[in-house]
Amino acid sequence: MAPRIVMMDSALSAAEIARELAPAGFELVIAPFGSPEFKAAVPTADFLVGFGNKAIDAEFYAAAPHIKLFQLLSAGYDTVDIEAARGAGVPVCNNGGANSTAVSEHAIMLMLATCRRLVWQHENVASGRWRGNDPSQTKLYELRDKVLGIVGLGAIGKKVARLANAFGMTVHYYDIRRVSEAEEDALSVRFKLLNEILRNSDIVSLHVPLTPASKHMIGAAELKLMKPTAYIINTCRGPVIDEVALTAALSDGGIAGAGLDVFDQEPPPADNPLFRLPNVILTPHFAGPTWDNQQARFRNAFDNCQRVARGEKPLWVIPELAG
């Protein structure tokens, strides 16, 4: 019997590309999570592919005793029931950096858009105000020679560093896992403590997974360390920043602005106060999914399925389950 891959259908995943890349000798079932087709396929599934879902719990694994791998199509895994996976002995793997180019480009885009007040400029032109009411009060900034503080130097953080180098920025980083001095030299980055990053950076860009340790790691006290001319960029997970504290800092001039792709609650409620602030640029958690990386995500996912089917260890096991 052919090994069975069950893939959770999603608006963020192109099923036709998944079918095109599905490995020979495997059966691929694509169905929405919880659908009759999905429920029928899971008891004999060998591999589960898709995005994290808290409903994939101990009860789910008990009903799917043959699953050997839960392969994510995302980099983040905060919606995964890690204890349930551990109890079932199922490794959980992220997408192996398949969307790292997209997220790193998006982070740079948000830096440029906030420093150059892109949305404000567009709205002025579109409304017939050309350069606004008082162009002498407009302050626009370049990236060159600015200090970028990267919090989290994983696959995405490293690509942000390379792009920032191309813009002539000075790049510092903080991560609980420091890289070697040789790798620092290759990336033109230098390690700093988190407080140093916050105090000295013109732009802080966040690239950490959401864990109990990283939730609200940027709160009121941390934001107070930042320069009033500094910007913060978040393309990882909303709860890494205390959104109430961020709103206050943006409102009272504690920091100059923010570029956010993620929120505490997604989608955010219509009365979210961030929507009313002129110094914020917002995108709808769209940094990762591009048409270009659909193939990379499925390629990495199916390669991992094949590795496990051959009796090899999977790549990109999340840290909590590695070892």
Side-chain angles (χ1 to χ4, degrees):
M1 184 175 176
R4 172 176 282 181
I5 301 172
V6 175
M7 183 181 122
M8 294 176 268
D9 201 5
S10 167
L12 296 177
S13 300
E16 66 273 23
I17 294 179
R19 292 189 181 95
E20 178 185 329
L21 292 179
F26 286 69
E27 178 191 2
L28 177 64
V29 177
I30 302 176
F33 182 85
S35 67
E37 185 181 2
F38 181 87
K39 291 179 179 178
V42 160
T44 54
D46 298 286
F47 305 99
L48 181 65
V49 174
F51 295 93
N53 189 318
K54 290 295 185 184
I56 300 173
D57 54 14
E59 183 178 351
F60 174 90
Y61 287 115
H66 304 292
I67 287 183
K68 304 173 182 66
L69 170 69
F70 181 10
Q71 175 64 52
L72 299 172
L73 295 173
S74 62
Y77 54 90
D78 50 290
T79 53
V80 171
D81 187 332
I82 295 172
E83 290 309 313
R86 180 181 284 115
V90 175
V92 178
C93 302
N94 74 10
N95 68 4
N99 65 353
S100 57
T101 294
V103 178
S104 61
E105 288 182 357
H106 199 94
I108 294 291
M109 178 188 74
L110 288 175
M111 294 177 205
L112 290 165
T114 52
C115 289
R116 303 301 281 270
R117 299 186 66 185
L118 180 63
V119 172
W120 176 83
Q121 292 198 55
H122 168 83
E123 290 176 345
N124 279 337
V125 174
S127 64
R129 296 172 62 221
W130 191 230
R131 292 187 176 176
N133 292 330
D134 189 358
S136 67
Q137 297 300 308
T138 303
K139 293 182 179 178
L140 308 177
Y141 298 98
E142 302 169 6
L143 297 187
R144 181 171 175 168
D145 293 331
K146 300 298 187 295
V147 176
L148 171 63
I150 296 174
V151 180
L153 197 71
I156 295 170
K158 288 173 182 174
K159 288 191 175 180
V160 172
R162 293 187 184 100
L163 293 174
N165 288 332
F167 279 92
M169 303 182 80
T170 298
V171 185
H172 298 156
Y173 83 97
Y174 169 76
D175 198 307
I176 58 174
R177 295 178 181 84
R178 292 181 62 170
V179 301
S180 67
E181 186 172 351
E183 191 165 5
E184 285 189 359
D185 289 344
L187 289 168
S188 295
V189 301
R190 284 293 175 264
F191 175 83
K192 303 289 181 180
L193 297 172
L194 180 59
N195 284 358
E196 293 180 287
I197 292 282
L198 296 170
R199 286 194 186 99
N200 300 323
S201 297
D202 298 299
I203 301 173
V204 174
S205 192
L206 304 175
H207 302 283
V208 298
L210 177 59
T211 66
S214 67
K215 183 177 181 180
H216 287 186
M217 70 180 294
I218 306 297
E222 289 75 22
L223 290 163
K224 282 187 171 69
L225 294 176
M226 294 177 65
K227 298 187 288 188
T229 54
Y231 298 86
I232 193 162
I233 306 296
N234 190 7
T235 54
C236 58
R237 289 295 184 267
V240 170
I241 301 180
D242 181 337
E243 202 167 277
V244 174
L246 175 63
T247 302
L250 290 164
S251 300
D252 64 17
I255 62 174
L260 308 174
D261 185 53
V262 287
F263 301 83
D264 257 343
Q265 179 183 335
E266 294 184 358
D271 62 351
N272 189 313
L274 288 169
F275 295 171
R276 300 191 297 271
L277 297 179
N279 53 347
V280 181
I281 289 183
L282 310 172
T283 56
H285 202 150
F286 241 31
T290 63
W291 192 251
D292 302 274
N293 66 40
Q294 290 278 355
Q295 289 193 341
R297 288 191 287 135
F298 291 126
R299 185 180 299 119
N300 287 354
F302 295 148
D303 176 52
N304 242 5
C305 292
Q306 291 178 98
R307 286 174 181 276
V308 173
R310 293 194 299 264
E312 300 173 18
K313 291 185 178 180
L315 303 175
W316 317 302
V317 178
I318 64 174
E320 290 84 349
L321 297 177

